[in-house]
Amino acid sequence: MTIIALVALVLIILGLFLLEYIDIYFSNSNSNDVKKLFVYTGIIGFLLTTFFAFFLSTKITQPLLQMKKAADLITQGDYGTRVVIRSSDEIGELAKTFNHMAEELEETIKDLSHEKEHLASVLRSMADAVITFDGYGNIILANPQGDRIIREWSSISWIDPLQKDLPGTHQIPEPLQSLFKSVVEANKELTDNLHVLNGVWSVVMAPLNSKDMIRGAVAVLRNVTEEYRLDKLRKDFVANVSHELRTPLSMLQGYSEALLDDIPGSAEERKELVQVIHDESLRMSRLVVDLLDLARMETGHFERNYQRVDIKMLVHRVQRKFLVMAREQGLALNLSFSEEALFVQHGDEDQLEQVLTNLLDNAVRHSPRDSQIEITVRPVWIKEVDEAVKIEIKDQGYGIPAEDLPYIFERFYKADKARTRGNSGGTGLGLAIVKNIVESHHGNVAVESVPGQGTTFSIVIPCNCP
């Protein structure tokens, strides 16, 4: 406004001067001179107009063009662009305001970028998978865990063949489609467990609302396969314990009632019933003791007495314990050692004896007559650095089916479904205890078996692990 007022004032003064000059000139001049005066006046006016046009272009138009160019640069992402302030008038104030706006915009963009990076960092560091869908079920955002799940699930054969041919498809995976549809229709958060291949996934999906409409959904997926497996083991454990206790309790109750009713007709029959009651009570006692030992081992409350253990002497002692039982069943119990001395520097001798006892007991009970059981003890090297002791117990028994091998160290698991523990005397916890004790000594236990040819249990225990 200051520049416009100045220009107007100059033009008014110039006009008044010309009018005064023309009035004086008209009184002293003829018509020919008047024509010349108008020509001169027109030339002067044109020059003044051109001068003021350039003046206005310099003072008004160019700063505006500079601000337009700066605005274009900002729209292209160059938020550091500023305009040069050349005056303190209205154009200068506009330039100051523009620069202030650009500074505020740059700070806002920086804050938004920081928040975006922070959110992206949180999503990347999450162990859970996070996937965001739009209203049509297309994937618009996923963290690395979510991307991995999308790739794995989209490669499964249930995907639509038309979608499979599209390399860049971002359609919602099939296992999530029904849950997504329910969330969008109900407009509320829903939770479900999905069984995909051999895994179990807990999914929480919530709608994304925008005013009065749903613009998509966000799903959080967590792999709960291990939790699901442990819960199943817990339920199976309770069921198995109930089953294992039910048989001896029923027999105790039945035979004790028979004694109370004086059913046995002779002292010999009564003695047989009492012997059965005694055997079943011992079986229940073994079961309870094994359960308590296993529970204490798994919770870390089992007292261990670590000391230097002579493995050769230990294996000799366990072999002698089973020699009589083996001869009664017509079994040959062979033992072979390497020449060098074998010691475990930090071992619980009683627990290691229990490991060998459980394995030999299984081998003797499940081997046919006139067969052999081989016990081999030799040193091995773990990763060519740490020395260890390897003990193998090989029988020529019935063997274990291949489908049962991964589960034989679980509590109460029976590889031979037709074999009852009442006849074999086991509690179903022996191998679980073996595995726990060996792992507590930083070792490992493995099994190889061919049905009809026999089974080999191998134990490897480091010699120097504390």
Side-chain angles (χ1 to χ4, degrees), residues 54 56 60 68-69 81 182 185 236 244 291 317 345 417-418 421 424:
F54 281 109
L56 291 175
I60 299 177
K68 180 181 179 300
K69 183 179 179 181
T81 302
S182 300
E185 291 177 352
D236 292 344
E244 295 293 332
L291 280 172
R317 186 166 67 248
Q345 300 298 330
K417 307 300 186 296
R421 294 196 182 96
S424 60

Side-chain angles (χ1 to χ4, degrees), residues 237 240-242 244-246 248-249 252 279-297 302 354 411-412 425-430 433:
F237 174 72
N240 286 327
V241 169
S242 301
E244 295 293 332
L245 290 176
R246 186 183 299 116
L249 284 174
L252 288 174
D279 292 342
E280 291 301 320
S281 64
L282 291 178
R283 181 184 170 195
M284 287 182 61
S285 176
R286 290 196 304 271
L287 177 60
V288 171
V289 169
D290 286 348
L291 280 172
L292 292 175
D293 288 347
L294 188 59
R296 285 197 294 266
M297 290 176 188
F302 196 86
Q354 185 178 1
R411 291 175 286 190
F412 299 115
T427 63
L429 299 172
I433 292 174

Side-chain angles (χ1 to χ4, degrees), residues 44-85:
I44 294 172
F46 174 76
L47 293 176
L48 289 175
T49 303
T50 303
F51 170 76
F52 283 114
F54 281 109
F55 176 79
L56 291 175
S57 174
T58 303
K59 293 295 184 181
I60 299 177
T61 308
Q62 287 186 358
L64 292 177
L65 290 175
Q66 290 177 358
M67 280 188 277
K68 180 181 179 300
K69 183 179 179 181
D72 291 338
L73 292 174
I74 290 176
T75 58
Q76 295 172 9
D78 187 3
Y79 302 109
T81 302
R82 301 290 184 271
V83 296
V84 180
I85 301 175

